[in-house]
């Protein structure tokens, strides 16, 4: 997850328990009972290293499979959805969750201004401020690949797919009060809980599932099946069991094995490919770029990132911090007549047809942002959970400026009139009690259009 500074991690294995070779040719799934070494890193988004584990924040749930065909990185979260569906917005989203560039303080104006202007965030915001927004450590939450991927079988037939990892420990969350207490008394609560559980032999595990959708079903789907702000209904696309993820080894050295671990959504073995999901397409490029900046151009030679179960043969050589034999004297150009790698036609990516159409940039902000959120609010949550959701939102939104509050409440009202009304009633109470607040606003609402000179400086 981009911006993840607060990290925990452990190692173990993935074991296949059900045959899915009719969908996927990847060797990681080739037979029941097969085990593949894995690493999983858990993280928060907005907090720096040393921040508390018990804050309300999405959790990164990144899985690295050390397969004999190379690394497979499934770089997910603890939610099946995300705030945005367009990678162009990803840097801005992260900036809005971080610190104000002038005060260097967390700024509710930034957070809620972005969310209120991008209504596609409603689904994830509602999930975040529900009880599941503060999981009880890392062992008691699910993991999701979130994106839509493609699986290819041995006959070249492709199908769309989503990945799920359901905790075998059961979902457990912390109350706002308990999370606040732990933030001051044991900010390393999640890290400690994971490390101690494994050290004591109480190894956590997750059951691994897929959902699948044919290309024909995708064509007729009622909404964009690659939209990261929505889920595939389980009733229509049920979970198919695949295997178990088990963590049974703690890192020997935190810096070497957790701080330096790097996940690239572009690391996919033959049989697993990206879909047209716009967010996934953007992450294919941005994550490796980040790692080259953070860890250096040879970060894949760091042992925890190295595809050690296969032989690397390519033309990417040299660069600072090269710690391998640099492929010795093998030719470093292609094609060559000597000992260089050869094309492997059976590993070629699947083809896809694109209908004749115009291609242009478009804004996807208005693609039904409320229907699934309405189901979440009215059908998934119980009455006491709805009440806590509204209280959690209002207690955070109250610190944003009033005009931002109004925009946010309007979005919640679009989901369901009761949803917006409850939050507004709580905000009215907070605003009446606020009095004179010790808040310095660095952003003020613009009441005039920017001048040509101001626009030139944007």
């Amino acid at each position: 997850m981009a911006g993840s500074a607060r990290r925990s991690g452990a190692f173990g294995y993935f074991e296949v328990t059900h045959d899915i070779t009719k969908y996927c040719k990847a060797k990681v799934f080739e037979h029941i009972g097969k085990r593949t070494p894995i690493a999983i890193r858990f993280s928060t988004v907005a907090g720096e290293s040393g921040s508390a584990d018990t804050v309300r924040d999405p959790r990164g749930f990144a899985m690295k499979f050390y397969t004999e065909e190379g690394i497979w990185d499934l770089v997910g979260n603890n939610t099946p959805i995300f705030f945005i569906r367009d990678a162009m917005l990803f840097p801005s989203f992260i900036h809005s969750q971080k610190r104000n560039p002038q005060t260097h303080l967390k700024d509710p104006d930034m957070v809620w201004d972005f969310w209120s202007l991008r209504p596609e965030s409603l689904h994830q915001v509602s999930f975040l401020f529900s009880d599941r927004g503060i999981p009880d450590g890392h062992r008691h939450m699910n993991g999701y690949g979130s994106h839509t991927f493609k699986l290819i079988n041995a006959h070249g037939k492709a199908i769309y797919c989503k990945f799920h990892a359901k905790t075998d420990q059961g979902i457990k969350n912390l109350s706002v009060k308990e999370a606040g207490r732990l933030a001051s008394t044991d900010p390393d609560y999640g890290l400690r809980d994971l490390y101690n559980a494994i050290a004591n032999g109480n190894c956590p595990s997750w059951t691994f599932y897929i959902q699948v959708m044919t290309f024909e079903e995708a064509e007729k789907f009622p909404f964009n099946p690659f939209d990261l702000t929505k889920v595939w209904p389980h009733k229509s696309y049920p979970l198919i069991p695949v295997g178990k993820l088990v963590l049974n080894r703690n890192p020997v050295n935190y810096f070497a094995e957790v701080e330096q671990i790097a996940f690239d959504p572009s690391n996919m073995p033959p049989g697993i490919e990206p879909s047209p999901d716009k967010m996934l397409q953007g992450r294919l490029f941005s994550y490796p770029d980040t790692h080259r900046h953070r860890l250096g151009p040879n970060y894949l030679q760091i042992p925890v990132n190295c595809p050690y179960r296969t032989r690397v043969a390519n033309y990417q050589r040299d660069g600072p911090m090269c710690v391998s034999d640099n492929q010795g004297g093998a030719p470093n150009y292609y094609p060559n007549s000597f000992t260089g790698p050869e094309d492997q036609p059976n590993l070629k990516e699947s083809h896809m047809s694109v209908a004749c159409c115009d291609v242009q940039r478009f804004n996807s902000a208005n693609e039904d942002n409320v229907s699934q959120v309405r189901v979440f609010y009215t059908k998934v949550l119980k009455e006491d959970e709805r009440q806590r959701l509204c209280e959690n939102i209002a207690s955070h939104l109250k610190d944003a400026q009033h005009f931002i509050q109004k925009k946010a409440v309007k979005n919640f009202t679009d989901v369901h009139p009761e949803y917006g009304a409850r939050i507004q009633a709580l905000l009215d109470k907070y605003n009446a009690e606020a009095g004179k607040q010790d808040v310095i606003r660095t952003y003020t609402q613009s009441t005039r259009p920017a001048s040509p000179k101001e626009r030139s400086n944007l």
Side-chain angles (χ1 to χ4, degrees), residues 171-304:
I171 293 287
K172 285 177 64 178
N173 305 301
L174 296 171
S175 68
V176 172
K177 183 177 181 181
E178 179 64 5
R181 185 189 71 81
L182 287 169
S184 62
T185 61
D186 188 8
D188 299 315
Y189 174 79
L191 173 63
R192 187 187 317 282
D193 174 75
L194 178 67
Y195 191 96
N196 289 353
I198 295 172
N200 291 327
N202 183 20
C203 299
S205 65
W206 288 259
T207 301
F208 197 70
Y209 299 89
I210 58 172
Q211 287 177 289
V212 296
M213 178 188 295
T214 67
F215 282 35
E216 294 73 25
E217 288 172 324
E219 286 286 340
K220 301 172 183 175
F221 205 52
F223 58 83
N224 180 354
F226 314 118
D227 184 344
L228 186 56
T229 69
K230 298 182 177 73
V231 298
W232 291 359
H234 288 196
K235 187 175 179 180
S236 303
Y237 303 93
L239 295 179
I240 300 169
V242 181
K244 286 277 188 186
L245 299 159
V246 179
L247 295 180
N248 60 7
R249 179 176 80 79
N250 281 314
V252 174
N253 180 275
Y254 178 89
F255 182 85
E257 294 190 302
V258 179
E259 184 67 26
Q260 289 194 124
I261 198 168
F263 295 86
D264 304 350
S266 50
N267 283 342
M268 300 180 191
I272 304 172
E273 298 179 6
S275 77
D277 179 334
K278 289 176 71 173
M279 276 292 290
L280 176 57
Q281 291 291 333
R283 294 176 81 206
L284 298 179
F285 293 95
S286 65
Y287 278 63
D289 282 352
T290 298
H291 302 323
R292 284 186 280 269
H293 169 75
R294 182 170 74 93
L295 297 168
N298 285 301
Y299 72 93
L300 290 172
Q301 293 181 17
I302 298 172
V304 74

Side-chain angles (χ1 to χ4, degrees), residues 311 313-315 317 327 329-344:
R311 183 177 72 91
N314 58 22
Y315 305 99
R317 308 287 180 84
Q327 300 186 45
N332 61 356
Y333 59 94
Y334 175 86
N336 69 76
S337 305
F338 305 103
T339 59
E342 297 177 358
D343 283 345
Q344 303 293 322

